[in-house]
Amino acid sequence: MRDHSKNRLALITGRYAARQQEKAAGDRRAFDDAFRAVRGEVILPVLGEIAAELRSAGHAPRIALDEAPETPSVALALGIRGVTAAPGTDLIAFSVIQRREAPEILAYLVVKPPPMDLLRFASPADITAYQVEQLVVDAIEHIFACRSI
């Protein structure tokens, strides 16, 4: 093959790779933006209601947002009365992850014993207030049970 053709192919494939990278970055930005919208419209209101109930029972829950571009997330730290928890434990979180080709939203809890994945959402549009409420209440029950041992 002539050098001229090799150079042209290198330019063609290089441009193609750059466009694919730009497209993937744009897809990820759109996914993250959709997660942020669902977080604000669905997840945060549910976590706020649950936190209010926990406060009325004498606990000190806290909601934390992470705006890091690579991992937007939201977490509810339970602040269980009478428990001195290690930082980053006794919490339920929703976070954008990308361990496969496409990003996902991972719902997980962190409690001693080790953290546990609860559910993965392929699309932010799949998340409903009912699902969030049920998932978080179930996770709280698990955390309180672990703390009661």
Side-chain angles (χ1 to χ4, degrees), residues 89-107:
T89 61
D90 294 346
L91 63 84
I92 299 110
F94 294 80
S95 180
V96 174
I97 62 167
Q98 189 156 2
R99 296 184 183 147
R100 299 181 182 130
E101 188 174 321
E104 302 172 290
I105 297 162
L106 175 65

Side-chain angles (χ1 to χ4, degrees), residues 6 14 19 34-35 51 61 64 71 76 84 95 108 113 126 129 133-134 136:
K6 285 181 183 179
R19 282 193 302 271
F35 169 74
T71 56
L76 171 65
T84 305
S95 180
Y108 63 95
D126 295 341
E133 180 179 313
Q134 191 62 51
V136 172

Side-chain angles (χ1 to χ4, degrees), residues 40-125:
E41 296 165 11
V42 177
I43 299 171
L44 279 172
V46 172
L47 294 183
E49 288 179 37
I50 290 170
E53 291 297 318
L54 290 170
R55 263 188 221 93
S56 71
H59 304 287
R62 196 172 37 79
I63 297 172
L65 299 177
D66 185 349
E67 288 298 334
E70 63 280 356
T71 56
S73 66
V74 60
L76 171 65
L78 301 185
I80 301 171
R81 181 182 61 233
V83 172
T84 305
T89 61
D90 294 346
L91 63 84
I92 299 110
F94 294 80
S95 180
V96 174
I97 62 167
Q98 189 156 2
R99 296 184 183 147
R100 299 181 182 130
E101 188 174 321
E104 302 172 290
I105 297 162
L106 175 65
Y108 63 95
L109 67 87
V110 181
V111 66
K112 198 172 181 177
M116 175 171 49
D117 292 358
L118 298 172
L119 188 61
R120 291 175 190 250
F121 297 92
S123 169

